[in-house]
Amino acid sequence: MKKPRPYNKLEGIAAAPGVAIGRAFIHNEEVPEIPKRKIAADQVEGEAERFLNTLHQVGEEIRRTQRLVEMEHGAELAMIFEAQLFMLEDPEIKKQTLTLIRERQCTADRAFSVTLRQARKMFEQIENEYLRMRISDVMDIEQQVLIRLAGGELRALCALRANTVVVAHDLLPSEAVELGQRRVKGLVIDGGGANSHASIIARSLGLPTVVGTQSASHQITSGDMVVVDGEEGVVHVNPTAPILRSYRGQVQRQRQRQLDLNARRDLPARTRDDCEIALLANIDVPEEVQAALDHGARGVGMYRTELLYLGYRLPSEEEQVAVYRRIVEALAPHPVVIRTFDLGGDKLSHVLESAPEANPFLGWRGIRICLDVPSLFKAQLRAVLRAGVKGRAQLLLPMVSSLEEVRRARQVLAEVEEELRQEGVPFAQTCELGVMVEVPSVALQADAFAAEVDFLSLGTNDLTQYTLAVDRGTPTVAELYDSFHPAVLRLVAMTVESGRRHGVPVSICGELAGDPLAVPLLVGLGLESLSLSPGLIPEVKEVVRAICLSEARELAAACLTLKTGAEVRQRLEEAAFNLAK
Ligand code: PEP
Ligand code: MG
């Protein structure tokens, strides 16, 4: 009988709520060493052919998965597979492997493994962080080809089974999207923070996730039974029967709670004293539109378009028109706020050349790239304006830090409008332009911005990172990252106040909007529009319906007098407790 694997409990950071129970799959697991063995001279050509056939087979597998994903989820998502195909079809890799087989009489397994290890080393030395992270594609391809050569089934990402918990050392935002589209149950990531982009995507896709586990990918073995507790931020590996029983009960209760909430989805989001709060959806991929509609969203408050740009080629204007039009039409007459591509930081395009940066989150990011690469920016603006004919599209500029950027963007927008007019292409004549308030300078100058834009959207994820000088994706400083910090709250209050003075709507699209604890505070600060992950809308609506605006205002005023984030949290917990009574 097989010896049971020992129980182990790993601590991390709760990144996406819920509990997932499943078998572990180690993403980009090391491929075992292949024994050195020489083949006979007369076997060389057979071995070369075996290698080429395997490459072909794996390529077909990937293309098949790509087609399935494209059919189910659209072309943008399927572009993720381009990276792997690109690697698989690299002529240098093929040539070098064949040389090793033919000249050194290596087995195909050994020759390919040696070649890819060299490729990995090369990637490891690359300074560009995005390209360095493409190592995961090299490793995934290595795994897939070697397993095939050894006569096994594909065990890599494209062959994930149901009830899988993916354990990864690092996960790119695009990989998180990819996993969400497969039948993955939950995620465990050694790196990252609760507000790194992979975590945000996991929350959007409803995947219970624990991040910052440091060494889970080494401590867990593929096939281990794993419980991901996305509420407490712990991972139970090979749990005992009582632990498993207790979590199964929790999963049942979760399901029931979700059903109850969904049944109440059409109730209005009004406070007890009849103040309407607009609940909109943040989406990362167009496929989330359905979830937004299913959860009763009154529009899309922020569509993060940058995922369209993370494939191996940039999206054309026509492709973008098709994507934006689909979303705008689906949500009409409600608004769809399309944020121009916020590349940079942890979302680096490998198509756009960029110099290595010591601090990518302070570097070439968001509006800075939009303005520096006008051809890309213009194509996106044209696409949004054209899609706007079908409903109500609004433009939102990311990572703005000074008014000049807004003025320059307005100028580009005017040029684009003129070009479309000249070409006789129909477009939305009145497309509102807003800015993200996510850099402290914008909050501090909110009056000046409010005088020049149509709306403001508070991005508390970055606002917290930039106000407190705490990287949002680094586990070692995760405890310092606190959106309830009084300094952050003051910037939020200042922004709301400036918007009110200028009659400019202010909404919030940072993750704080989806935190039930924060909702009374945000409403009390004067926010009337919250944009959050679709799946969190029902829960937040319950809170809105339970509060009274006048009490929320008192609560917010009290919170603004407190000195630390911990004091604010405690005050909000007391308020939540009183609500629940
Ligand atoms: C934010 O910074 O709060 C935000 C919503 O944008 P992102 O999370 O995409 O940086
Ligand atoms: Mg941001």
Side-chain angles (χ1 to χ4, degrees):
M1 218 171 80
K2 239 165 114 186
K3 216 168 123 208
R5 304 242 323 131
Y7 168 63
N8 192 6
K9 181 178 169 188
L10 305 173
E11 308 264 342
I13 301 164
V19 169
I21 304 175
R23 293 275 169 198
F25 172 89
I26 311 297
H27 179 34
N28 289 330
E29 199 169 13
E30 286 280 338
V31 178
E33 210 40 61
I34 293 153
K36 288 184 190 158
R37 176 170 69 83
K38 264 199 163 189
I39 49 172
D42 62 355
Q43 290 177 335
V44 159
E45 279 317 308
E47 198 63 2
E49 200 181 318
R50 193 167 78 87
F51 166 63
L52 292 173
N53 284 342
T54 305
L55 276 196
H56 178 73
Q57 265 177 15
V58 173
E60 287 299 292
E61 287 279 350
I62 297 175
R63 271 192 206 90
R64 203 170 309 137
T65 314
Q66 190 181 32
R67 277 196 297 275
L68 279 177
V69 171
E70 184 165 351
M71 263 171 9
E72 278 180 38
H73 307 289
E76 333 39 273
L77 207 71
M79 269 164 63
I80 290 168
F81 294 92
E82 290 295 316
Q84 298 198 342
L85 286 170
F86 185 81
M87 217 64 80
L88 194 72
E89 282 156 12
D90 184 300
E92 267 311 305
I93 290 179
K94 210 184 274 184
K95 193 170 124 204
Q96 205 182 323
T97 309
L98 288 172
T99 307
L100 287 173
I101 297 174
R102 291 187 173 127
E103 293 177 9
R104 303 250 183 101
Q105 292 174 237
C106 290
T107 60
D109 315 43
R110 176 113 197 116
F112 188 65
S113 164
V114 168
T115 305
L116 277 226
R117 259 146 224 243
Q118 279 165 3
R120 266 165 63 180
K121 278 212 190 90
M122 243 174 55
F123 270 84
E124 271 159 12
Q125 281 156 11
I126 290 176
E127 296 222 25
N128 177 318
E129 193 181 350
Y130 184 83
L131 279 182
R132 208 170 50 232
M133 286 172 76
R134 292 288 80 190
I135 276 184
S136 62
D137 285 315
V138 180
M139 289 169 75
D140 206 27
I141 285 295
E142 182 178 4
Q143 238 185 354
Q144 295 182 47
V145 172
L146 290 182
I147 289 161
R148 274 276 162 164
L149 282 170
E153 281 304 307
L154 288 195
R155 200 167 50 94
L157 273 187
C158 40
L160 286 180
R161 301 194 193 300
N163 292 334
T164 299
V165 166
V166 169
V167 182
H169 189 63
D170 265 317
L171 204 67
L172 292 171
S174 51
E175 289 174 319
V177 174
E178 187 184 338
L179 292 172
Q181 311 301 319
R182 299 158 186 230
R183 293 160 295 176
V184 167
K185 284 271 165 187
L187 297 176
V188 178
I189 309 172
D190 287 343
N195 276 344
S196 51
H197 283 106
S199 302
I200 291 176
I201 289 169
R203 275 199 291 278
S204 290
L205 300 173
L207 290 178
T209 299
V210 173
V211 300
T213 45
Q214 320 262 351
S215 60
S217 63
H218 295 296
Q219 297 198 47
I220 302 175
T221 304
S222 278
D224 277 345
M225 173 63 92
V226 175
V227 175
V228 182
D229 183 340
E231 312 282 341
E232 297 297 324
V234 294
V235 182
H236 299 273
V237 189
N238 300 310
T240 58
I243 294 178
L244 206 50
R245 219 174 8 255
S246 137
Y247 274 107
R248 289 211 163 111
Q250 200 169 320
V251 170
Q252 277 295 332
R253 287 193 294 281
Q254 253 176 30
R255 255 184 226 140
Q256 192 51 48
R257 166 107 183 120
Q258 210 49 50
L259 287 176
D260 294 347
L261 286 173
N262 285 349
R264 297 162 62 76
R265 122 193 141 161
D266 292 325
L267 294 175
R270 284 183 174 280
T271 60
R272 285 194 349 256
D273 43 357
D274 215 27
C275 168
E276 172 108 39
I277 304 296
L279 299 182
L280 294 90
N282 284 347
I283 63 168
D284 296 287
V285 287
E287 293 66 34
E288 278 182 277
V289 162
Q290 197 49 51
L293 294 169
D294 290 348
H295 289 105
R298 294 286 183 264
V300 166
M302 175 184 56
Y303 168 29
R304 290 185 172 90
T305 57
E306 50 276 4
L307 278 164
L308 294 174
Y309 293 75
L310 295 179
Y312 262 67
R313 63 179 180 80
L314 297 166
S316 68
E317 179 181 326
E318 293 309 319
E319 280 166 334
Q320 291 185 70
V321 173
V323 172
Y324 304 154
R325 191 175 277 162
R326 206 157 18 112
I327 302 175
V328 168
E329 268 176 348
L331 281 136
H334 299 304
V336 174
V337 178
I338 300 179
R339 186 174 76 178
T340 62
F341 56 87
D342 186 15
L343 293 170
D346 60 354
K347 289 182 283 197
L348 302 181
S349 157
H350 47 293
V351 185
L352 276 181
E353 287 282 323
S354 60
E357 295 178 321
N359 297 300
F361 274 105
L362 300 181
W364 207 44
R365 186 184 170 194
I367 189 73
R368 302 169 185 181
I369 305 184
C370 296
L371 293 173
D372 286 349
V373 193
S375 56
L376 266 192
F377 191 36
K378 278 188 161 180
Q380 183 167 41
L381 295 180
R382 284 174 64 100
V384 173
L385 291 179
R386 287 174 60 191
V389 173
K390 297 287 176 187
R392 194 168 153 214
Q394 299 177 316
L395 277 161
L396 177 61
L397 305 175
M399 185 64 185
V400 167
S401 59
S402 74
L403 213 44
E404 286 97 327
E405 288 164 332
V406 179
R407 291 180 185 158
R408 283 177 63 197
R410 266 217 191 279
Q411 201 179 330
V412 181
L413 186 61
E415 280 166 30
V416 162
E417 285 172 346
E418 186 50 33
E419 280 164 22
L420 289 169
R421 208 169 286 123
Q422 297 277 336
E423 292 164 26
V425 177
F427 67 95
Q429 304 285 334
T430 50
C431 184
E432 287 156 75
L433 181 73
V435 291
M436 294 282 296
V437 183
E438 54 184 349
V439 176
S441 58
V442 179
L444 291 164
Q445 258 196 306
D447 271 316
F449 280 90
E452 297 199 21
V453 297
D454 301 308
F455 63 98
L456 297 168
S457 186
L458 278 153
T460 44
N461 308 338
D462 278 315
L463 191 60
T464 304
Q465 139 164 291
Y466 295 132
T467 304
L468 306 181
V470 179
D471 189 301
R472 63 196 268 188
T474 299
T476 38
V477 292
E479 292 222 349
L480 297 174
Y481 182 95
D482 184 5
S483 298
F484 290 136
H485 192 295
V488 179
L489 299 185
R490 279 188 199 189
L491 293 176
V492 171
M494 282 170 65
T495 307
V496 175
E497 190 44 36
S498 299
R500 200 190 50 73
R501 268 201 298 273
H502 289 264
V504 166
V506 181
S507 63
I508 170 168
C509 60
E511 293 298 293
L512 204 55
D515 181 348
L517 201 58
V519 172
L521 167 64
L522 298 173
V523 171
L525 286 172
L527 282 156
E528 292 174 0
S529 166
L530 314 180
S531 189
L532 51 148
S533 282
L536 300 175
I537 291 177
E539 188 89 45
V540 164
K541 191 190 285 182
E542 287 293 291
V543 179
V544 169
R545 291 176 57 78
I547 59 179
C548 215
L549 182 58
S550 52
E551 287 165 15
R553 281 190 183 136
E554 278 170 29
L555 175 69
C559 286
L560 286 174
T561 65
L562 299 174
K563 302 282 186 293
T564 68
E567 285 170 19
V568 173
R569 185 176 292 276
Q570 194 189 341
R571 185 76 185 74
L572 295 177
E573 274 163 2
E574 284 161 16
F577 179 75
N578 289 336
L579 275 184
K581 270 204 294 199

